[in-house]
Amino acid sequence: MKVPYSWLKEYVDIDISAEELEEKLFGCGFEVEELIDLGKEVSRVVVGEVLSCEPVEGTHLQICQVNCGSCGNPIQIVTGAPNVYAGMHTPAALDNSTLPGGVTIKAKPLKGIPSDGMLCSGEELGLNDDLYPGAEVYGLMDLPKDTVPGTDIREVVGMNDYIFDISITANRPDCQSVLGIAREVAAALGKELKMPATDYTASDYQFPGLDITVEAPDLCPRYLGHGVRNITVGESPRWMKRHLALCGLRSISNVVDITNYVLLEIGQPMHAFDMDQLQERRIIVRRAKDGEKIQTLDEKEFSLTPENLVICDGNRPVALAGIMGGLNSEITENTTQLLFEAAKFARDNVRKTSRALGQSSDSSARFEKGISEYTTELGMARALHLIQELGCGEITASAFDCSAGAPREGKRFTASLQKINAILGIEVPAEDVLRILKNLNFEVERNGDSLNVTAPRYREDIEVGEPDLAEEVIREYGYDHVKPTFLKAAMVTSGGKTPAQQRRERVCRILCGQGYHEICTLSFYADSDLDFLRIPADAPERNVLRIRNPISANLAIMRPLLAPSLMNIIVENLKKGNNEGRIFEISNIYVPREGGELPDERPHLGFAAFGDREDFFTVKGTVEALGKALGLVFDVERATDVPWLHPGIAAYILCEGERIGCFGKLANEVTGELKLHKDAKSSHKIFLGEIDYEIMMSHMAASFRYRPLSVYPAAVRDLALTVAEETPCGDLMHEIARACPRVSDVELFDIYRGEQIGEGRKSMAFKITFEPEDKPLQPEEVDKYIKKILGNLKFKLGAEIR
């Protein structure tokens, strides 16, 4: 929000520089993104009086002798401006002067005639008619004759001003106006605030039949309307034009400018309806009908739903509440009577409507943060005062105040000085607390340690209790008073990461070593993401936590799975031509709890690999490497019921018999629906995995014990077995490892089917590694292990040695 320094001075006697005020605002909790010096780029440009003009024969040029006061008298300047004349006062850029845009003016000959500078137009100084009258004339600026030659032009045209570009946070809607910032400046400097005039006199005339009804008080708790007649649409005064221009708005007409002026000054968005365009002279505030249409002032047409709030006349919408007026009731040069509107709309409804329709405005930006009822009243009174001050209309007695019954006073509560200081961790003297709160327009009565407080009506952000008061006190008292101290329950520690952080870091290092890149995604997505992965309607993952006011429809639920988040990243990469990659994320999923309690946040590990070179076994290798590095033994079993995975190329991950996750190839029907180009669909293979990180960590030992590698060589044996065709390889490997504690590795290296094996059977050959402990393994000892393994396999799986 842009706030001119000169405008602030109209409300507060500021006796410090703009740079010092910037520091004060920072100290009060306002981020000044930029302090704009309007005349920073202009130097050595002064008022010049043209003493004489001599035409140059055969050209459009004229040789001027210019009186620049103490900067030179006379100075010869050659100009081609058509409106120059003797006696003219105009800006003169001297030798080595600068103009906006980095333009430097040097003394040099023009058509062989010496010229010691340049006479300037308003455009060359970066001015327009709103900033200074006559700045847009074709030719040189014609300054008043009472301007003194040699005076710095910045003082004459008002370029010796500053603009504060302030970022207003959502919790301070009362500061989204020049007056709101002026309140804070007055409090910070201990100065009196000069309120803008709001007095006016209404006539006895009432518009016959004019009526206002609010049918949706939940979305519009306060609506004020006031009729004005005998409108004279014309030009605004110079001071109003300048204020608007400094804030980035051009003047349109006095009536329209008043609504924009009140928006900037008071922070109250207003709208003026042409009364002659209102059918039946009625205003109805209601929800839109499904499919109802409106064309806004920017000539865009929108189709509405009952989620949108509209301002209607007897038959049709004439404004989109809180966002923009309708084209069918705009103020024109023919307007003679109007209805002013000032309202308080539900900020969540304005935000949702604005985002759903893709339509925003300065008004919607303020309504989304929140407008107080006090601001609504003040804005209406200020607009009516300006109508009377500018003499552009007669204020009638037709006034309407539709209210849902909100209180007309600020919040009342009691607070404790001791508790305020306890929150701050320092001792702020009681007299300073009272002084600060009163400077901020709080009504405070002290009774010992107890404070009876009434917050200003415009401070709807204040919650009952000490925390908000403590914040108000410290930002005015100064954060530099806060000294670091220990909390009551604090203790000195050696620092470093917690065991949980160390374990998480270890998992990340392992996966990065496997070629994976860590990603961080949003914690919410849409129901359509679950639909895309074929999650059944009755699946546990469909029991989701919904967001009441989502940023968009695509971010409406807290995620119950990481898989959709991973898929969104993969699809974006494939669309951008990144055809292969490996990614992982350790983040929470959210499981709702009964009774409205906060959800259960469970950490999950999601990982994915995509590209032509990826297959099921590369991902399986990732899982095995992870388990080995964490000191865990992961087993796998075939998975056929994971909706988003291919039933023949998917597996569950087991740890000590407990199912902790799954992985596999993305199901063909899901891959077929990816919005990719034709070649990408056929050439990319996508593998996904997800592990319940919390359960996996519960199986992990609290600490690792060092065990040295054996100094003796390992024994290796090959074992070929025949089994039934349906026997999974994983079952065989699992039983081999369980049968003997000395088995350190089992690797399948051959599968054979043929007549020699028999129908319905297959041969599988494994390389088994036996690890010695504290002595060499003897051949007969290994034979004993093999015999035990064969016995277990025959008993449990019907396996025979080939």
Side-chain angles (χ1 to χ4, degrees):
M1 185 185 72
K2 289 182 169 58
V3 180
Y5 185 48
S6 57
W7 200 351
L8 283 175
K9 285 184 171 182
E10 295 180 16
Y11 307 113
V12 185
D13 290 328
I14 302 175
D15 53 5
I16 59 177
S17 67
E19 290 79 9
E20 291 174 305
L21 183 58
E22 179 186 17
E23 292 298 322
K24 286 280 187 183
L25 288 171
F26 267 120
C28 294
F30 295 94
E31 181 184 356
V32 181
E33 295 184 339
E34 184 180 8
L35 178 60
I36 304 167
D37 183 351
L38 291 183
K40 181 179 181 181
E41 295 185 307
V42 178
S43 66
R44 288 183 55 78
V45 181
V46 299
V47 175
E49 179 187 5
V50 181
L51 302 175
S52 64
C53 299
E54 181 184 344
V56 179
E57 188 176 350
T59 72
H60 69 289
L61 303 177
Q62 296 196 58
I63 303 172
C64 300
Q65 301 301 320
V66 184
N67 172 17
C68 292
S70 60
C71 298
N73 182 20
I75 294 176
Q76 180 170 295
I77 298 177
V78 179
T79 181
N83 65 332
V84 67
Y85 62 90
M88 183 183 202
H89 287 222
T90 190
L94 308 175
D95 183 31
N96 285 323
S97 60
T98 58
L99 299 177
V103 177
T104 302
I105 304 300
K106 295 283 189 180
K108 62 181 180 179
L110 191 61
K111 295 288 185 179
I113 305 168
S115 180
D116 293 327
M118 183 181 81
L119 301 181
C120 303
S121 67
E123 182 181 0
E124 287 163 335
L125 292 176
L127 300 173
N128 58 38
D129 281 346
D130 289 348
L131 288 170
Y132 193 83
E136 296 182 28
V137 70
Y138 178 66
L140 303 178
M141 279 186 68
D142 198 348
L143 300 173
K145 298 300 183 289
D146 59 356
T147 52
V148 180
T151 306
D152 191 325
I153 198 65
R154 292 176 294 185
E155 299 177 14
V156 175
V157 299
M159 296 181 72
N160 57 340
D161 201 354
Y162 295 85
I163 305 292
F164 295 90
D165 191 352
I166 304 174
S167 176
I168 305 298
T169 53
N171 67 318
R172 291 304 305 273
D174 60 296
C175 291
Q176 49 188 353
S177 65
V178 178
L179 179 62
I181 296 298
R183 289 193 198 106
E184 296 296 321
V185 172
L189 300 181
K191 302 280 188 177
E192 181 183 353
L193 177 69
K194 303 171 188 176
M195 287 293 290
T198 56
D199 58 302
Y200 62 89
T201 303
S203 69
D204 295 331
Y205 179 81
Q206 289 193 349
F207 286 101
L210 181 61
D211 184 51
I212 296 179
T213 306
V214 176
E215 296 182 355
D218 55 326
L219 303 183
C220 178
R222 190 82 182 273
Y223 191 95
L224 302 181
H226 206 119
V228 180
R229 69 171 183 165
N230 298 330
I231 292 294
T232 305
V233 178
E235 193 173 339
S236 297
R238 177 185 172 185
W239 59 267
M240 180 174 285
K241 286 183 177 181
R242 177 172 172 79
H243 283 163
L244 294 175
L246 289 174
C247 294
L249 296 180
R250 291 301 302 263
S251 174
I252 299 173
S253 68
N254 48 11
V255 177
V256 176
D257 288 352
I258 285 173
T259 61
N260 288 332
Y261 191 85
V262 171
L263 171 72
L264 297 174
E265 181 187 40
I266 307 298
Q268 174 62 49
M270 294 193 68
H271 188 65
F273 299 102
D274 187 332
M275 197 89 75
D276 293 328
Q277 302 299 322
L278 296 179
Q279 297 182 11
E280 299 180 15
R281 284 201 174 179
R282 296 178 61 198
I283 286 291
I284 304 171
V285 185
R286 60 169 173 80
R287 285 177 167 83
K289 299 173 183 176
D290 199 17
E292 196 167 25
K293 298 186 181 298
I294 185 174
Q295 190 174 22
T296 50
L297 288 170
D298 56 1
E299 299 184 0
K300 295 180 182 177
E301 186 173 84
F302 300 97
S303 182
L304 308 176
T305 71
E307 297 297 318
N308 311 133
L309 186 68
V310 289
I311 314 298
C312 302
D313 60 12
N315 297 308
R316 61 194 177 156
V318 291
L320 198 53
I323 299 175
M324 192 174 290
L327 191 63
N328 52 13
S329 62
E330 69 172 331
I331 300 298
T332 68
E333 59 184 10
N334 299 319
T335 299
T336 59
Q337 46 192 6
L338 60 82
L339 177 69
F340 268 136
E341 165 199 278
K344 173 182 173 68
F345 298 117
R347 56 186 180 182
D348 58 335
N349 179 260
V350 174
R351 180 173 62 251
K352 290 176 182 178
T353 298
S354 176
R355 292 182 178 173
L357 300 179
Q359 182 78 336
S360 61
S361 63
D362 289 339
S363 296
S364 66
R366 284 166 171 79
F367 276 119
E368 286 180 22
K369 287 187 174 74
I371 297 292
S372 70
E373 295 199 28
Y374 169 83
T375 304
T376 301
E377 296 170 8
L378 185 65
M380 176 61 81
R382 180 60 171 161
L384 295 175
H385 170 86
L386 291 172
I387 284 284
Q388 206 159 66
E389 181 180 339
L390 272 55
C392 54
E394 173 194 336
I395 303 170
T396 71
S398 293
F400 298 87
D401 185 351
C402 302
S403 173
R408 296 290 190 270
E409 58 183 22
K411 297 176 182 177
R412 295 179 179 271
F413 55 96
T414 59
S416 164
L417 282 169
Q418 184 179 358
K419 289 182 180 179
I420 291 174
N421 285 326
I423 292 171
L424 297 177
I426 59 174
E427 191 71 28
V428 182
E431 56 271 19
D432 286 328
V433 173
L434 297 176
R435 173 184 56 81
I436 290 169
L437 292 178
K438 288 178 180 177
N439 285 347
L440 292 170
N441 296 322
F442 287 80
E443 295 179 15
V444 186
E445 293 181 3
R446 182 185 178 189
N447 184 12
D449 180 66
S450 178
L451 300 178
N452 295 318
V453 182
T454 302
R457 285 184 61 199
Y458 53 82
R459 292 300 303 273
E460 293 186 350
D461 60 296
I462 295 294
E463 297 294 335
V464 175
E466 288 82 5
D468 277 4
L469 291 184
E471 181 183 352
E472 296 299 307
V473 168
I474 195 59
R475 67 188 185 85
E476 296 292 336
Y477 189 62
Y479 290 99
D480 53 322
H481 288 90
V482 177
K483 297 178 181 178
T485 57
F486 275 118
L487 297 173
K488 290 182 179 179
M491 63 176 62
V492 177
T493 66
S494 59
K497 296 179 179 178
T498 64
Q501 291 171 328
Q502 292 173 352
R503 288 194 293 270
R504 189 186 190 284
E505 199 171 71
R506 180 182 299 164
V507 171
C508 292
R509 284 200 305 267
I510 294 165
L511 291 172
C512 288
Q514 293 287 315
Y516 287 77
H517 296 272
E518 186 173 10
I519 63 171
C520 183
T521 60
L522 295 176
S523 298
F524 23 78
Y525 44 64
D527 290 289
S528 57
D529 290 314
L530 297 176
D531 297 338
F532 177 71
L533 292 185
R534 304 297 194 276
I535 307 295
D538 57 349
E541 293 82 6
R542 287 289 186 173
N543 179 26
V544 297
L545 191 71
R546 299 195 174 276
I547 301 172
R548 289 181 180 176
N549 54 340
I551 297 173
S552 74
N554 294 328
L555 303 170
I557 61 174
M558 302 298 290
R559 62 183 172 198
L561 285 172
L562 290 186
S565 298
L566 297 172
M567 275 304 306
N568 289 334
I569 298 300
I570 292 172
V571 170
E572 285 301 313
N573 274 272
L574 293 177
K575 285 180 178 178
K576 294 175 181 177
N578 300 324
N579 296 328
E580 60 181 27
R582 295 182 176 185
I583 58 176
F584 78 94
E585 179 176 15
I586 303 175
S587 291
N588 288 342
I589 66 162
Y590 302 85
V591 182
R593 288 175 171 162
E594 297 293 334
E597 294 186 19
L598 291 175
D600 182 17
E601 301 183 32
R602 300 184 62 84
H604 271 212
L605 165 62
F607 53 96
F610 60 97
D612 288 337
R613 292 185 292 181
E614 302 293 352
D615 61 26
F616 176 83
F617 295 102
T618 60
V619 183
K620 181 173 181 286
T622 296
V623 174
E624 292 172 343
L626 179 64
K628 188 172 183 180
L630 296 178
L632 301 174
V633 177
F634 287 157
D635 296 320
V636 295
E637 65 179 13
R638 186 172 180 178
T640 59
D641 56 353
V642 181
W644 64 91
L645 297 181
H646 192 296
I649 317 176
Y652 286 116
I653 304 169
L654 288 82
C655 185
E656 297 179 4
E658 184 177 9
R659 189 179 288 177
I660 65 170
C662 63
F663 70 94
K665 186 176 183 293
L666 190 65
N668 291 341
E669 58 269 26
V670 178
T671 306
E673 288 192 10
L674 293 179
K675 296 179 180 179
L676 305 173
H677 56 81
K678 199 169 185 180
D679 294 338
K681 285 186 180 180
S682 60
S683 62
H684 287 97
K685 295 183 290 184
I686 300 174
F687 295 85
L688 291 174
E690 187 159 343
I691 296 175
D692 190 315
Y693 182 83
E694 191 173 90
I695 296 178
M696 180 176 72
M697 288 296 108
S698 69
H699 288 279
M700 190 173 167
S703 60
F704 287 95
R705 295 184 62 185
Y706 169 73
R707 189 182 72 176
L709 295 174
S710 176
V711 298
Y712 304 107
V716 179
R717 294 288 189 274
D718 292 343
L719 191 63
L721 305 166
T722 62
V723 293
E725 180 66 44
E726 62 273 10
T727 303
C729 172
D731 290 355
L732 288 167
M733 297 176 70
H734 180 69
E735 289 302 327
I736 292 172
R738 286 186 58 188
C740 176
R742 297 268 67 83
V743 173
S744 61
D745 188 40
V746 182
E747 181 182 344
L748 173 71
F749 67 85
D750 182 58
I751 300 178
Y752 175 75
R753 296 176 179 85
E755 295 180 1
Q756 300 92 328
I757 305 301
E759 187 176 352
R761 295 183 70 79
K762 60 184 176 183
S763 171
M764 307 181 77
F766 298 92
K767 181 172 76 173
I768 306 173
T769 302
F770 297 90
E771 184 180 344
E773 192 170 15
D774 52 359
K775 61 180 181 178
L777 284 172
Q778 301 301 322
E780 59 273 13
E781 191 175 1
V782 176
D783 291 342
K784 185 172 67 173
Y785 294 152
I786 291 290
K787 185 176 181 182
K788 183 179 179 182
I789 290 171
L790 289 172
N792 277 22
L793 292 175
K794 182 176 179 59
F795 176 73
K796 293 188 176 181
L797 300 175
E800 299 283 353
I801 189 167
R802 182 179 170 189

Coordinates of all heavy atoms in Angstrom, one line a residue, residues 515 517 578-583 608-611 614:
G515 N 20.7 -42.2 -5.6 CA 20.4 -41.4 -6.7 C 19.1 -40.7 -6.6 O 18.6 -40.2 -7.6
H517 N 16.5 -37.6 -5.2 CA 16.5 -36.2 -4.9 C 15.4 -35.9 -3.9 O 14.2 -36.3 -4.2 CB 16.4 -35.3 -6.1 CG 17.6 -35.4 -7.0 ND1 18.7 -34.6 -6.9 CD2 17.8 -36.2 -8.1 CE1 19.6 -35.0 -7.9 NE2 19.0 -35.9 -8.6
N578 N 11.8 -33.6 -18.6 CA 12.7 -34.3 -17.7 C 12.2 -35.7 -17.7 O 11.3 -36.1 -16.9 CB 12.7 -33.7 -16.3 CG 13.1 -32.2 -16.3 OD1 14.0 -31.9 -17.1 ND2 12.5 -31.4 -15.5
N579 N 12.8 -36.6 -18.5 CA 12.2 -37.9 -18.8 C 12.6 -39.0 -17.8 O 12.2 -40.1 -17.9 CB 12.6 -38.4 -20.2 CG 12.0 -37.4 -21.3 OD1 10.9 -36.9 -21.1 ND2 12.7 -37.3 -22.4
E580 N 13.5 -38.7 -16.9 CA 13.9 -39.7 -15.9 C 14.3 -39.0 -14.6 O 14.7 -37.8 -14.6 CB 15.0 -40.6 -16.4 CG 16.3 -39.9 -16.8 CD 17.4 -40.8 -17.3 OE1 17.0 -41.8 -17.9 OE2 18.5 -40.4 -17.2
G581 N 14.2 -39.7 -13.5 CA 14.6 -39.2 -12.2 C 14.1 -40.0 -11.1 O 13.4 -41.0 -11.2
R582 N 14.7 -39.7 -9.9 CA 14.3 -40.4 -8.7 C 14.1 -39.4 -7.6 O 14.9 -38.5 -7.4 CB 15.4 -41.4 -8.2 CG 15.7 -42.5 -9.2 CD 16.7 -43.5 -8.7 NE 16.9 -44.6 -9.6 CZ 17.7 -45.7 -9.3 NH1 18.4 -45.7 -8.1 NH2 17.8 -46.7 -10.1
I583 N 13.0 -39.4 -6.9 CA 12.6 -38.4 -5.9 C 12.1 -39.1 -4.7 O 11.6 -40.3 -4.7 CB 11.5 -37.5 -6.4 CG1 10.3 -38.2 -6.9 CG2 12.1 -36.6 -7.6 CD1 9.1 -37.3 -7.3
A608 N 9.9 -42.4 -5.5 CA 9.4 -42.7 -6.9 C 10.6 -42.7 -7.8 O 11.6 -42.0 -7.6 CB 8.4 -41.7 -7.3
A609 N 10.6 -43.6 -8.8 CA 11.6 -43.6 -9.8 C 10.9 -43.7 -11.2 O 9.9 -44.5 -11.3 CB 12.5 -44.8 -9.7
F610 N 11.3 -42.9 -12.1 CA 10.6 -42.9 -13.5 C 11.7 -42.8 -14.6 O 12.7 -42.2 -14.4 CB 9.6 -41.8 -13.6 CG 10.1 -40.4 -13.4 CD1 10.4 -39.6 -14.5 CD2 10.3 -39.9 -12.1 CE1 10.9 -38.3 -14.3 CE2 10.8 -38.6 -11.9 CZ 11.1 -37.8 -13.0
G611 N 11.4 -43.4 -15.7 CA 12.3 -43.4 -16.8 C 12.4 -44.8 -17.4 O 12.1 -45.8 -16.8
E614 N 14.4 -47.6 -15.5 CA 13.9 -48.1 -14.2 C 13.1 -49.3 -14.4 O 12.4 -49.5 -15.4 CB 13.1 -47.0 -13.5 CG 13.8 -45.7 -13.3 CD 14.9 -45.7 -12.3 OE1 15.1 -46.8 -11.7 OE2 15.7 -44.8 -12.2

